[in-house]
Amino acid sequence: MNDKQIPKYRQLKQGLLDKLSGGEWKAHDQMPSEHEIATSFGMSRQTVRQALGELEQEGWLYRLQGKGTFVSEPAATKTSGPVRTIGMMTTYISDYIFPHIVRGAEAALRDKGYRLMLLSTDNDKARERENLELLLGEPLSGLIIEPTRSAQGNPNLDLYLSLQVQGIPFVMINERYPELNCPCFRLDDEAGGYAAAEHLIRLGHRSIAGFFKTDDLQGANRLKGFLRALGDHGLPLRPDSVTSYMTEDGTARPYAAAIAMLEREDRPTALVAYNDQLAVRLLEAARQAKLSVPRELSIVGFDDSSLATATEVKLTTLTHPKSEMGRQAAIQLMDWIEDRQGAATDHAGPTRHAEKERDRLFAPELIVRGSTAAPHL
């Protein structure tokens, strides 16, 4: 695993946690200054401040006005026996909605005395393999995993089977590789895609285009819901009204497609985006085409991220549970670990039927803001 995949403040935070867990700093000891920590670890003071802020939020540290930062008694030190570690592997760590998912899981784990080991694949299957090989060599109690490009198969199946053989329980978030028997915590993406399109249809739009990333199952299911809504309402669909793209295309392909669409005389009056990141780019495309949002063009995003309200036009979007998904996945995994300690199960854990019962499907909610309105005639 290349440390460059992990944000610097997370690397520093882990280093400080190692010292705290190892007893180098005792309860109520005063911490070194930000400058001293920055010098010791070769990090900027801003990075130090961010790491210390999270440690304070999680109860490892506390501040006294005018005196400094001190070591508190973290939950992990109150439990008997060694600190148990949970690995968490996501496609990204520091971008978009992922910090919220990580924080939700981390808070739940910390409350129960577990420690979090965080890794990222950068949505690359080769890095997923590297991470899994690393994790298999660690003394882990369990894993929380977001599959990488879940719509493009699972070339790392042998390593997932190795996790099961070693008796390491794992749950998946956002999606699950179909061939694996493990609990999954995910959003009802198809329902979200349907709701986005239906919202626009009910406003009176009849020419609606969609933009979906389809190398993950989230995007494929959002597209499926979008198409189903148009079909249920009897709306015609032009072949060029749907733009699908892969991770490596970024926003370049959908942006170019949107510009081409919006320059046509028979342009769409509304757009549905795979997520809020893309919706923001589509707002830029609308400005490039000199179209007013929502008077001349409506746009719907997805995930209700911080980006949805960061622009001048506030985005209509669908909610994503973020922190709650991470929290519940962590709680389920901890319950499973504790159940397994007293249960007579094989190395693969509970039966497929029992594991499927532990799935959690979150229902997205439509948040209507200023980017959608009835079409201007």
Side-chain angles (χ1 to χ4, degrees):
M1 170 70 180
N2 189 336
D3 283 346
K4 291 182 179 179
Q5 296 177 25
I6 303 176
K8 286 187 176 180
Y9 83 94
R10 289 275 177 182
Q11 296 178 37
L12 174 59
K13 179 182 173 183
Q14 192 63 56
L16 295 174
L17 277 172
D18 288 341
K19 291 179 179 292
L20 289 165
S21 299
E24 183 169 332
W25 297 312
K26 308 294 184 184
H28 310 297
D29 282 353
Q30 184 168 6
M31 290 288 290
S33 68
E34 289 182 1
H35 175 73
E36 289 170 332
I37 294 174
T39 301
S40 176
F41 284 86
M43 302 279 187
S44 70
R45 291 189 67 176
Q46 177 60 36
T47 300
V48 173
R49 199 168 295 123
Q50 190 172 2
L52 292 177
E54 286 205 1
L55 290 171
E56 183 184 359
Q57 279 187 333
E58 293 164 12
W60 288 94
L61 305 174
Y62 64 93
R63 293 179 189 270
L64 292 179
Q65 187 66 32
K67 294 187 177 180
T69 301
F70 296 81
V71 179
S72 57
E73 186 179 355
T77 66
K78 300 175 185 178
T79 63
S80 59
V83 177
R84 292 171 292 183
T85 302
I86 297 294
M88 186 172 190
M89 181 172 67
T90 60
T91 51
Y92 301 101
I93 293 176
S94 59
D95 298 330
Y96 196 48
I97 65 173
F98 297 96
H100 300 279
I101 297 173
V102 171
R103 281 198 291 269
E106 192 168 33
L109 294 169
R110 192 72 63 200
D111 284 346
K112 296 293 186 180
Y114 284 78
R115 183 176 170 186
L116 182 66
M117 178 181 179
L118 191 60
L119 301 96
S120 167
T121 68
D122 282 344
N123 213 26
D124 180 271
K125 287 187 180 290
R127 286 185 176 174
E128 181 186 62
R129 187 168 193 86
E130 292 173 7
N131 289 349
L132 288 169
E133 289 171 342
L134 172 64
L135 291 166
L136 280 163
E138 295 290 327
L140 298 176
S141 297
L143 285 166
I144 300 170
I145 298 171
E146 181 192 24
T148 297
R149 301 198 187 208
S150 53
Q152 292 189 335
N154 181 10
N156 300 320
L157 177 60
D158 58 322
L159 296 178
Y160 283 105
L161 295 179
S162 294
L163 290 174
Q164 293 183 328
V165 168
Q166 291 191 20
I168 301 174
F170 58 90
V171 302
M172 289 196 160
I173 55 173
N174 283 331
E175 263 301 342
R176 170 177 50 212
Y177 291 125
E179 68 274 16
L180 292 176
N181 300 332
C182 65
C184 181
F185 294 76
R186 67 180 185 87
L187 188 66
D188 191 339
D189 290 292
E190 183 177 344
Y194 191 101
E198 189 171 57
H199 167 65
L200 295 168
I201 293 167
R202 292 190 185 282
L203 286 173
H205 293 276
R206 294 296 177 265
S207 179
I208 305 170
F211 301 78
F212 298 93
K213 186 162 79 77
T214 53
D215 53 0
D216 61 53
L217 290 171
Q218 297 100 295
N221 286 326
R222 292 174 189 185
L223 171 57
K224 183 178 179 181
F226 170 81
L227 293 174
R228 184 162 61 85
L230 296 187
D232 286 353
H233 289 272
L235 266 64
L237 184 67
R238 292 172 47 133
D240 60 351
S241 291
V242 171
T243 300
S244 62
Y245 64 100
M246 304 297 173
T247 297
E248 57 270 20
D249 295 330
T251 55
R253 173 176 162 77
Y255 181 82
I259 291 292
M261 279 183 199
L262 297 178
E263 289 177 347
R264 298 194 320 239
E265 286 190 15
D266 60 341
R267 65 172 179 81
T269 62
L271 310 177
V272 174
Y274 163 73
N275 62 15
D276 294 337
Q277 276 184 322
L278 180 56
V280 170
R281 284 288 283 157
L282 296 181
L283 282 172
E284 295 175 12
R287 284 192 287 270
Q288 178 71 21
K290 297 182 170 53
L291 295 174
S292 171
V293 176
R295 186 173 182 271
E296 297 173 289
L297 181 71
S298 286
I299 299 176
V300 179
F302 210 117
D303 294 330
D304 195 25
S305 69
S306 58
L307 296 175
T309 55
T311 58
E312 183 177 347
V313 178
K314 311 306 178 188
L315 287 172
T316 293
T317 187
L318 279 298
T319 59
H320 187 293
K322 305 182 192 72
S323 296
E324 183 64 10
M325 177 183 285
R327 188 184 77 85
Q328 290 200 24
I331 290 172
Q332 176 69 76
L333 181 59
M334 289 186 290
D335 287 347
W336 189 12
I337 291 167
E338 291 168 14
D339 287 346
R340 282 166 60 98
Q341 290 176 348
T345 60
D346 61 19
H347 289 298
T351 65
R352 178 180 176 86
H353 177 69
E355 290 186 8
K356 289 293 186 180
E357 288 183 341
R358 298 175 182 230
D359 285 0
R360 174 64 196 275
L361 187 65
F362 296 86
E365 296 180 12
L366 181 72
I367 306 296
V368 179
R369 297 194 180 100
S371 67
T372 56
H376 179 71
L377 302 178

